[in-house]
């Protein structure tokens, strides 16, 4: 990874966005790669868990994965190895993480931690993964198990605590570990109950992050199962089309992580190079629809999107803040993201899409 070129690519992305350029001379530095869209849970806020997937389910072939990493390694800074499934399901997940790390790309993981056995915890600590987000949506058993249907509160909590204790025992600074809690408001929880739960992570977790719920664009926009913010005011263009990309388990290139059914697939990495797809006809049309503010005609999936519904901060739109923050972590470390999140909440008077509570 060339750190200056990553920063430069993101600055060009921001410039192209503000100038409403649709054929880009910058490449994305942040990718989501999907090891699998299979999952072992039935989470109430997830299209996979709610059996809303109409695409085939499967596991990314390791040779395809290597082909992708080899191609993007010249300009990619980070890959989150998760999209619509539980990545620890993949039999070669740890080889995937190590391959990216050895190619100079930071591998990141989002996991529900239900499959994080002691053996996998040891493997994960040595895998090269630089940051882990543990999705644990509840401060107490009843609250958590209403959200993460099929998971056991105590077992999963112990999986996470074992991993964190092993990391501490071995004196490792990496991976940076975040406990991520969605505010689904499925059940009341007192301040004392929250404090008692969070106390279990004292001295172990790097960050506890409370996050606003996404409806996966229009997927859950009419749901009354959980609480979420309705977005009636949009702030286009969606800067993720200028700065990030998603590649599914079967090679489909998607413009958005919320496109779980590949409705807006813009190409397939098996048939074209990524750079051809990045400035291909489908992507150019999608970007132009954003510039013209006709994106809902082009993609109904964008309705109620949390990214489009979040206003810019000092001229920097929601989507591209992710990649700019990631490029900064290459120099300042992951605690920079924590500091940036704190600043964003100050600027938004505590009404930002996520906040750090420790």
């Amino acid at each position: 990874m060339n750190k200056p070129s990553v920063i430069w690519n993101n600055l060009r992305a921001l410039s192209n966005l503000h100038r409403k350029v649709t054929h880009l001379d910058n490449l994305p530095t942040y990718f989501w790669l999907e090891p699998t869209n299979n999952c072992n849970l039935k989470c109430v806020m997830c299209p996979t868990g709610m059996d809303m997937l109409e695409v085939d389910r499967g596991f990314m072939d390791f040779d395809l994965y290597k082909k992708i990493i080899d191609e993007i390694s010249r300009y990619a800074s980070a890959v989150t190895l998760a999209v619509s499934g539980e990545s620890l399901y993949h039999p070669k997940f740890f080889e995937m993480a190590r391959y990216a790390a050895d190619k100079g790309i930071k591998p990141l993981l989002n996991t529900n931690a239900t499959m994080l056995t002691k053996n996998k915890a040891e493997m994960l600590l040595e895998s090269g993964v630089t940051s882990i987000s543990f999705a644990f949506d509840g401060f107490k058993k009843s609250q958590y198990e209403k959200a993460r249907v099929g998971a056991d509160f105590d077992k999963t909590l112990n999986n996470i605590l074992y991993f964190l204790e092993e990391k501490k025992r071995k004196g490792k600074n990496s991976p940076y570990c975040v406990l991520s809690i969605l505010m689904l408001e499925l059940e009341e929880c007192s301040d004392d109950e929250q404090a008692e739960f969070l106390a279990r992570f004292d001295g172990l977790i790097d960050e506890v992050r409370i996050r606003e719920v996404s409806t996966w664009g229009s997927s859950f926009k009419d749901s009354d199962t959980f609480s979420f913010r309705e977005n009636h005011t949009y702030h286009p263009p969606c800067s993720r089309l200028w700065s990030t990309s998603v590649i599914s388990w079967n090679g489909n290139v998607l413009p958005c992580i919320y496109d779980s059914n590949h409705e807006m697939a813009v190409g397939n990495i098996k048939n074209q190079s990524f750079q051809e797809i990045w400035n291909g006809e489908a992507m150019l049309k999608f970007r132009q629809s954003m510039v013209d503010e006709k994106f809902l005609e082009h993609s109904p999936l964008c309705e109620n999107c949390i990214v489009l519904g979040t206003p810019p901060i000092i001229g920097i739109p929601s989507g591209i803040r992710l990649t700019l923050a990631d490029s900064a972590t290459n120099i300042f470390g992951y605690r920079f993201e924590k500091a940036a999140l704190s600043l964003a909440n100050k600027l938004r008077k505590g009404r930002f899409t996520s906040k750090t509570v420790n």
Side-chain angles (χ1 to χ4, degrees), residues 53-64:
L53 295 194
E54 297 174 2
V55 296
D56 290 338
R57 301 199 190 203
F59 297 86
M60 182 176 282
D61 179 79
F62 191 52
D63 286 336
L64 174 61

Side-chain angles (χ1 to χ4, degrees), residues 99-265:
Y99 193 80
D102 288 347
K103 288 286 184 174
I105 304 174
K106 302 192 302 288
L108 319 177
L109 172 64
N110 296 336
T111 178
N112 63 37
T114 57
M115 304 181 76
L116 187 60
T117 62
K118 290 183 178 180
N119 181 52
K120 286 184 177 179
E122 300 292 341
M123 295 171 69
L124 188 54
L125 282 169
E126 305 302 326
S127 67
V129 168
T130 60
S131 177
I132 302 174
S133 178
F134 295 111
F136 200 89
D137 304 317
F139 297 98
K140 59 184 180 181
K141 184 178 178 69
S142 57
Q143 187 184 43
Y144 169 82
E145 291 180 1
K146 283 180 181 177
R148 297 272 164 182
V149 178
D152 181 278
F153 176 87
D154 297 301
K155 181 179 178 181
T156 309
L157 179 59
N158 287 333
N159 289 350
I160 297 171
L161 290 173
Y162 177 83
F163 176 86
L164 296 173
E165 288 161 356
E166 279 297 288
K167 176 191 168 188
K168 184 175 182 179
R169 185 181 68 80
K170 292 184 176 184
K172 288 183 171 287
N173 293 320
S174 182
Y176 185 82
C177 294
V178 177
L179 187 71
S180 176
I181 303 172
L182 289 174
M183 298 311 293
L184 295 159
E185 298 182 19
L186 298 177
E187 185 178 314
E188 292 295 323
C189 187
S190 69
D191 290 344
D192 287 343
E193 287 173 319
Q194 292 187 30
E196 182 181 356
F197 171 78
L198 294 176
R200 303 184 69 167
F201 293 90
D202 285 351
L204 294 174
I205 199 77
D206 294 301
E207 184 179 350
V208 178
R209 192 174 292 181
I210 305 295
R211 295 174 50 228
E212 188 176 351
V213 183
S214 166
T215 59
W216 291 73
S218 60
S219 299
F220 290 97
K221 69 181 179 66
D222 297 319
S223 175
D224 57 5
T225 304
F226 56 91
S227 178
F228 56 87
R229 168 167 56 98
E230 294 185 10
N231 296 307
H232 299 297
T233 301
Y234 297 109
H235 304 274
C238 176
S239 56
R240 287 191 176 178
L241 300 181
W242 275 255
S243 59
T244 69
S245 193
V246 183
I247 305 177
S248 69
W249 73 269
N250 61 4
N252 278 342
V253 177
L254 310 172
C256 174
I257 59 169
Y258 301 133
D259 187 9
S260 55
N261 277 317
H262 306 186
E263 298 168 33
M264 298 300 301

Side-chain angles (χ1 to χ4, degrees), residues 58-118:
F59 297 86
M60 182 176 282
D61 179 79
F62 191 52
D63 286 336
L64 174 61
Y65 174 81
K66 290 193 292 184
K67 174 183 181 297
I68 295 167
I69 294 295
D70 289 346
E71 181 175 350
I72 69 175
S73 61
R74 293 185 296 103
Y75 45 86
S77 167
V79 290
T80 289
L81 295 174
V83 183
S84 296
E86 172 49 50
S87 298
L88 293 182
Y89 238 150
H90 199 292
K92 289 186 175 289
F93 172 80
F94 301 104
E95 292 96 323
M96 287 178 156
R98 174 49 59 191
Y99 193 80
D102 288 347
K103 288 286 184 174
I105 304 174
K106 302 192 302 288
L108 319 177
L109 172 64
N110 296 336
T111 178
N112 63 37
T114 57
M115 304 181 76
L116 187 60
T117 62
K118 290 183 178 180

Side-chain angles (χ1 to χ4, degrees), residues 243-358:
S243 59
T244 69
S245 193
V246 183
I247 305 177
S248 69
W249 73 269
N250 61 4
N252 278 342
V253 177
L254 310 172
C256 174
I257 59 169
Y258 301 133
D259 187 9
S260 55
N261 277 317
H262 306 186
E263 298 168 33
M264 298 300 301
V266 293
N268 191 290
I269 202 75
K270 295 177 183 177
N271 308 320
Q272 297 172 275
S273 71
F274 177 78
Q275 286 185 245
E276 289 174 323
I277 297 170
W278 180 241
N279 275 317
E281 182 180 356
M283 277 299 289
L284 295 182
K285 284 184 177 179
F286 203 172
R287 291 190 192 112
Q288 191 63 48
S289 76
M290 285 287 168
V291 169
D292 296 338
E293 298 191 20
K294 295 181 178 179
F295 53 90
L296 289 179
E297 297 174 16
H298 189 83
S299 172
L301 183 68
C302 295
E303 186 179 0
N304 208 63
C305 179
I306 193 173
V307 179
L308 275 167
T310 301
I313 294 179
I314 56 173
I316 303 175
S318 172
I320 208 167
R321 289 198 291 265
L322 169 70
T323 59
L324 287 169
D326 171 73
S327 64
T329 64
N330 295 330
I331 300 170
F332 303 110
Y334 281 103
R335 281 177 173 76
F336 173 85
E337 282 193 17
K338 186 175 180 178
L341 186 58
S342 177
L343 176 60
N345 272 287
K346 287 179 181 177
L347 292 172
R348 285 280 158 77
K349 298 180 180 179
R351 295 192 298 273
F352 196 58
T353 53
S354 60
K355 63 181 177 181
T356 295
V357 297
N358 73 327

